[in-house]
């Protein structure tokens, strides 16, 4: 017997329809490429998203065809999120930090029909447009009178002229909730990028989950600042969750330095911000160098790579801002776990609470996690046994776009996504990443977590960023070394840093050497790029060898 409740498909258009009707005057504020601040409301956004849908109809872009964006976080990008997906097309968000050749590759792989770009990225478009035969129209996200001239790009139009030619009398269509909604390629540090193709259902369920109190805890009282880019895993779903909750949204545009982010937080009363650790490091540096305080910010979601405990402490102790440490992946939409305490932990001494909060956290309903050994057997949740981390859930990928399925079946026939991370899980379900599988350092048959070694260095006041990698060793297989970029003007010697490790980790885990570098190489999503670091250090020899 079926239940007798209304069966409405979970569609992305339902989010904007809701926000327009129930939070129509909640604000969306964007720093624009032009430098100024733009502000309008969900009501305006919904109207213009309908114009986007009509502009695509006018071009006869078919259902499920891909429409690409190459853009910063801003209101026009959010209009594309709703206008493209809501009208049953697929929004393909492209990471502008990829190499132009990779960009051309993914545009061709996705067979994008239209590509909308911020004018900042004009040089990229000029470099790739003649290698992208599927693109029928190039849209510069600007006013008509700011359309760049003499670009050599055929079929180029300004966004405002493109949507301005349309009315907003459009009804969001109903269709199957499993229809594809958006496409994001992994950054592909090895091999070609792989596409994660999200559905309306997975996106809406993810948006619900993200709003939960034990996840991002987003409500109509929040003003949220997604620093995490809309071109990478849909800015962790924040543009959807914000509409679902009716939260004010503040977009930083291209200005991601500590000063600009701080000023935006203060001016707009931001309560919650989300981003990768490198961005927050810049913010903390700015705030501490200038003796500033936060007046509205109460929490930051930090994830994408391990958040150093020193950063969690600094936010909490010096500024009263709670850090929510999150873990996820492009293939998981991206949220997989987040660290918040349980009721039973409330009476624990603070340092024990902090130990839990430093972990990547607990899964929430909608995602399940497990760790397995090399034979695929599940490992105990004892906080010590480590294994390959596997995930399954409503918003976890089952196959790559035009690719194969990476899932591994368990004895009940359920498919689990192998994350490529190595982790422990404690009896309360708190998961801790020790490493990416490929970054684990194997020394004398034991594993050393590069993240642990980095976290210790990052707690030294002279260290701006640190990356730990394994170097070949004839006796131990590998030994760790730590590459360090110092804070500007700071003094630090190899011996001082090695001494700093004493008492903080087992002796045999202390790096064999410190290599000072100008900067740790970062990848397209702001994470440390260890492949590049290994390449830079290919002639390096461990001391004494
Ligand atoms: P890519 O850069 O490969 O496209 P994703 O953005 O999908 O990557 O990154 C997913 C990976 O990032 C995870 O598998 C994990 O290794 C790493 N990661 C994400 N969040 C955290 C975290 N909080 N701590 C440690 N590693 C993390």
């Amino acid at each position: 017997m079926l239940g007798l409740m209304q069966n409405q498909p979970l569609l992305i258009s339902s989010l904007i329809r809701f926000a327009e009707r129930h939070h129509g005057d909640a604000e969306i504020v964007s720093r624009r490429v032009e430098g100024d601040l733009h502000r309008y409301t969900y009501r305006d956004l919904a109207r213009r998203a309908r114009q986007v849908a009509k502009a695509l109809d006018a071009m006869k872009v078919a259902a499920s065809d891909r429409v690409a964006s190459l853009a910063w976080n801003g209101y026009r990008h959010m209009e594309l999120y709703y206008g493209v997906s809501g009208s049953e097309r697929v929004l393909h968000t492209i990471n502008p930090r990829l190499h132009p050749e990779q960009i051309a590759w993914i545009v061709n792989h996705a067979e994008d029909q239209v590509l909308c770009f911020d004018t900042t990225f004009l040089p990229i478009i000029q470099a790739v447009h003649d290698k992208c035969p599927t693109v029928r129209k190039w849209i510069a996200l600007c006013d008509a009178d700011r359309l760049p001239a003499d670009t050599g790009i055929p079929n180029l139009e300004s966004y405002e002229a493109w949507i301005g030619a349309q009315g907003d009398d459009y009804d969001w269509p109903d269709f199957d909730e499993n229809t594809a909604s958006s496409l994001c390629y992994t950054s592909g540090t090895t091999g070609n990028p792989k596409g994660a193709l999200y559905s309306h259902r997975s996106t809406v369920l993810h948006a619900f989950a993200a709003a939960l109190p034990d996840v991002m805890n987003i409500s109509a009282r929040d003003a949220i600042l997604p620093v995490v880019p809309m071109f990478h895993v849909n800015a962790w779903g924040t543009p959807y969750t914000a509409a679902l909750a009716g939260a004010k949204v503040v977009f930083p545009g291209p200005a991601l330095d500590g000063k600009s982010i701080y000023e935006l937080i203060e001016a707009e009363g931001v309560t919650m911000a989300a981003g990768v650790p490198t961005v927050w490091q810049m913010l903390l540096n700015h705030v501490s160098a200038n003796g500033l305080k936060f007046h509205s910010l109460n929490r930051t979601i930090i994830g994408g790579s391990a958040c150093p405990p020193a950063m969690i402490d600094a936010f909490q102790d010096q500024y009263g801002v709670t850090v929510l440490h999150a873990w996820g992946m492009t293939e998981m939409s991206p949220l997989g776990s987040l660290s918040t305490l349980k009721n039973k932990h409330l009476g624990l001494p603070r340092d024990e609470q902090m130990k839990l909060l430093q972990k990547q956290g607990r899964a929430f309903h909608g995602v399940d996690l497990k760790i397995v050994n090399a034979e695929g057997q599940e490992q105990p949740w004892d906080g010590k046994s480590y294994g390959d981390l596997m995930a399954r859930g409503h918003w976890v990928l089952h196959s790559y776009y035009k690719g194969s399925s990476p899932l591994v079946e368990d004895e009940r026939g359920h498919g689990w996504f192998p994350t490529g991370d190595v982790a422990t899980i404690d009896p309360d379900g708190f998961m801790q990443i020790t490493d990416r599988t490929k970054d684990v350092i194997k020394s004398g048959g034991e594993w050393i977590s590069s993240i642990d070694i980095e976290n210790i260095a990052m707690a030294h006041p002279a260290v701006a960023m640190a990356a730990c990698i394994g170097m070949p060793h004839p006796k131990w297989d590998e030994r760790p070394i730590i590459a360090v970029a110092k804070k500007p003007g700071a003094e630090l010697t190899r011996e001082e840093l090695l001494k700093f490790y004493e008492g903080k980790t087992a002796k045999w885990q202390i790096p064999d050497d410190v290599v000072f570098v100008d900067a740790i190489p970062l990848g397209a999503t702001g994470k440390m790029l260890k492949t590049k670091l290994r390449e830079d250090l290919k002639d390096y020899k461990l001391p004494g060898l």
Side-chain angles (χ1 to χ4, degrees):
M1 178 164 67
L2 294 178
L4 293 175
M5 308 310 281
Q6 297 181 11
N7 186 6
Q8 297 177 7
L10 296 171
L11 297 179
I12 286 173
S13 55
S14 70
L15 301 174
I16 194 61
R17 196 187 271 135
F18 168 80
E20 182 182 23
R21 275 176 72 78
H22 298 273
H23 299 280
D25 63 355
E27 276 189 307
I28 313 223
V29 181
S30 314
R31 169 111 53 201
R32 303 205 301 172
V33 171
E34 292 87 337
D36 59 344
L37 273 191
H38 171 276
R39 58 179 71 236
Y40 72 174
T41 64
Y42 277 111
R43 201 170 288 126
D44 302 312
L45 186 141
R47 181 174 46 77
R48 284 165 53 93
R50 290 195 292 272
Q51 288 176 285
V52 170
K54 286 194 77 169
L56 293 169
D57 283 357
M59 280 183 67
K60 303 213 175 336
V61 176
S64 291
D65 275 353
R66 274 73 61 207
V67 174
S69 65
L70 189 74
W72 300 109
N73 292 7
Y75 66 106
R76 288 178 178 130
H77 205 172
M78 188 150 163
E79 291 162 10
L80 292 172
Y81 266 49
Y82 286 101
V84 174
S85 304
S87 65
E88 211 185 335
R89 284 94 181 186
V90 175
L91 181 68
H92 169 205
T93 52
I94 304 177
N95 185 338
R97 299 197 183 112
L98 293 176
H99 191 274
E101 258 171 41
Q102 266 186 330
I103 292 182
W105 188 92
I106 61 175
V107 168
N108 285 310
H109 191 262
E111 301 170 79
D112 295 327
Q113 302 260 321
V114 181
L115 195 152
C116 307
F117 62 97
D118 267 327
T119 49
T120 326
F121 304 124
L122 180 63
I124 301 180
I125 300 300
Q126 285 177 306
V128 302
H129 74 88
D130 56 355
K131 301 182 186 74
C132 302
T134 60
V135 179
R136 292 194 271 144
K137 200 170 188 77
W138 304 88
I139 304 286
L141 293 165
C142 63
D143 292 330
D145 58 3
R146 284 187 174 257
L147 184 69
D150 306 322
T151 58
I153 302 168
N155 300 321
L156 175 67
E157 192 176 359
S158 79
Y159 180 78
E160 294 302 331
W162 185 53
I163 67 165
Q166 306 296 329
D168 62 1
D169 50 328
Y170 179 85
D171 271 339
W172 298 111
D174 271 346
F175 45 85
D176 186 333
E177 64 186 21
N178 290 300
T179 303
S181 60
S182 58
L183 176 63
C184 178
Y185 284 79
T186 61
S187 41
T189 41
T190 51
N192 280 327
K194 289 187 278 207
L197 185 63
Y198 311 112
S199 72
H200 284 259
R201 176 185 159 82
S202 70
T203 304
V204 173
L205 289 176
H206 181 270
F208 267 106
L212 287 171
D214 267 354
V215 190
M216 293 188 186
N217 189 15
I218 294 178
S219 76
R221 291 164 297 292
D222 274 315
I224 68 173
L225 175 77
V227 182
V228 49
M230 291 169 80
F231 55 72
H232 191 59
V233 216
N234 299 328
W236 299 349
T238 46
Y240 305 117
T241 311
L244 174 142
K248 172 175 173 177
V249 185
V250 181
F251 285 125
L256 302 176
D257 60 287
K259 180 171 187 285
S260 307
I261 295 288
Y262 175 77
E263 287 172 0
L264 205 53
I265 289 174
E266 290 297 303
E268 296 302 326
V270 168
T271 54
M272 179 282 230
V276 294
T278 36
V279 165
W280 299 131
Q281 194 60 54
M282 291 193 284
L283 179 66
L284 280 179
N285 290 348
H286 173 74
V287 173
S288 90
N290 295 285
L292 303 168
K293 283 200 174 359
F294 293 106
H295 296 91
S296 55
L297 189 71
N298 59 52
R299 64 201 190 281
T300 62
I301 319 288
I302 305 189
S305 53
C307 178
M311 183 176 284
I312 301 181
D313 291 344
F315 267 115
Q316 190 74 56
D317 299 345
Q318 294 166 29
Y319 303 105
V321 175
T322 300
V323 169
L324 300 168
H325 190 192
W327 166 85
M329 301 187 71
T330 304
E331 289 89 338
M332 298 181 62
S333 307
L335 291 174
S337 71
L338 192 138
S339 217
T340 54
L341 300 178
K342 292 183 173 179
N343 177 276
K344 66 192 263 191
H345 300 132
L346 296 179
L348 288 180
R350 198 178 124 69
D351 58 330
E352 281 181 46
Q353 291 183 342
M354 290 311 284
K355 274 193 196 125
L356 288 171
L357 296 174
Q358 287 164 6
K359 297 190 179 197
Q360 278 73 9
R362 297 182 282 123
F364 29 86
H365 181 264
V367 184
D368 197 4
L369 300 176
K370 68 173 180 180
I371 45 173
V372 299
N373 65 11
E375 286 73 50
Q377 288 153 337
E378 183 161 7
Q379 298 301 292
W381 290 20
D382 57 11
K384 292 187 203 76
S385 310
Y386 48 78
D388 294 325
L389 182 64
M390 318 281 282
R392 67 187 292 263
H394 301 300
W395 47 85
V396 180
L397 161 150
H398 74 68
S399 299
Y400 287 102
Y401 175 57
K402 294 186 188 170
S404 54
S405 171
L407 298 196
V408 180
E409 271 193 13
D410 64 17
E411 58 287 352
R412 295 175 62 202
H414 291 149
W416 290 77
F417 175 76
T419 65
D421 289 327
V422 178
T424 60
I425 304 182
D426 77 10
D428 289 322
F430 284 74
M431 184 273 289
Q432 182 162 30
I433 303 269
T434 46
D435 252 313
R436 280 199 145 178
T437 317
K438 56 183 188 298
D439 293 336
V440 168
I441 297 161
K442 293 168 192 111
S443 174
E446 298 280 349
W447 286 15
I448 299 175
S449 155
S450 65
I451 295 179
D452 285 351
I453 304 305
E454 283 153 11
N455 282 344
I456 296 174
M458 297 281 279
H460 192 288
V463 173
M465 205 181 284
C468 175
I469 55 174
M471 283 291 169
H473 190 283
K475 180 165 174 207
W476 303 110
D477 278 344
E478 281 184 325
R479 287 295 302 155
I481 64 163
I482 184 98
V484 169
K486 285 185 275 193
K487 285 190 185 150
E491 300 281 339
L492 178 68
T493 64
R494 171 184 185 274
E495 285 64 34
E496 279 164 354
L497 186 61
L498 293 180
K499 185 127 194 57
F500 187 70
Y501 272 95
E502 286 173 20
K504 297 190 176 73
T505 185
K507 254 202 165 120
W508 61 274
Q509 300 200 344
I510 297 179
D512 277 12
D513 201 7
V514 180
V515 179
F516 290 102
V517 294
D518 293 339
I520 304 287
L522 297 181
T525 53
K527 303 183 196 197
M528 294 193 287
L529 201 55
K530 292 194 183 174
T531 41
K532 171 82 173 51
L533 184 64
R534 287 193 190 95
E535 219 174 277
D536 293 350
L537 296 176
K538 68 178 184 310
D539 297 327
Y540 171 89
K541 288 254 168 331
L542 283 166
L545 291 187

